[in-house]
Amino acid sequence: MTIKTKITPLGAGNTVYPKDFVVFESSTPGTYTFEIKKAQFEVTGSGAGGGGGGSAGKHAWYGQVGGSAAAFKGIVQLEKGTLTITVGTPGEGGYGSGRNAGPGTNGTATTVSVNGITLLTLGGGNGGGGTGSGTGANNGAGGILTISKELKVISTQLQENGVAHSMVSILGNGFGAGGNIRAASSGLPGTAGYIKVQFVK
């Protein structure tokens, strides 16, 4: 029998999740849905990086590096219900050729939603432009961080927009970086998005 006390007013066994329990963690692009209990969680994540632009081999011109993605790390409160997470897909590198070259494609956002409401959007980096007479329009801009007013943020350690033309992962774990460029060749893809949701209390 469980005895209610001032220390455990609901009795023992009222822990929502085990200590430091990781509810979800992935760097594999896709959408994931599951049920959660109301609690405070540390959310760490980034969108996906943009692809690097291609280079025109005839002139050995370099394209532009893709932009890095927005990133966030902080403690938030999530309500009970359906948690939907989308992990961003990295942008592809632009094609290279003898005279023309294509831009890299944009990385996509990593998002966190509860009960159909998008609470956190970690924007993906834009693809870098190509070079030569076929120069692409992409400019390799950084991804944009959007925090919904519906999200209760307890504290934050990191909340940053992505950086233009950057191969640096803001999270420092390699994810969300823009793709590099190569002489007389296609650009490299960006790196995938990332998300980790860990129970705090």
Side-chain angles (χ1 to χ4, degrees), residues 10-116:
L10 299 178
N14 65 316
T15 302
V16 178
Y17 292 101
K19 178 177 171 58
D20 299 327
F21 179 72
V22 176
V23 175
F24 182 82
E25 182 176 17
S26 181
S27 60
T28 301
T31 298
Y32 309 85
T33 301
F34 46 94
E35 299 300 309
I36 60 168
K37 302 172 184 178
K38 180 178 179 178
Q40 291 182 12
F41 301 90
E42 182 179 71
V43 175
T44 305
S46 73
S55 297
K58 183 175 181 179
H59 307 287
W61 290 339
Y62 286 87
Q64 296 175 342
V65 173
S68 65
F72 177 89
K73 182 175 184 179
I75 297 174
V76 302
Q77 180 172 300
L78 300 180
E79 299 299 314
K80 177 181 178 180
T82 303
L83 173 64
T84 302
I85 291 176
T86 297
V87 179
T89 302
E92 298 179 355
Y95 63 86
S97 69
R99 297 185 60 183
N100 303 324
T105 62
N106 298 340
T108 64
T110 292
T111 60
V112 176
S113 304
V114 174
N115 297 327

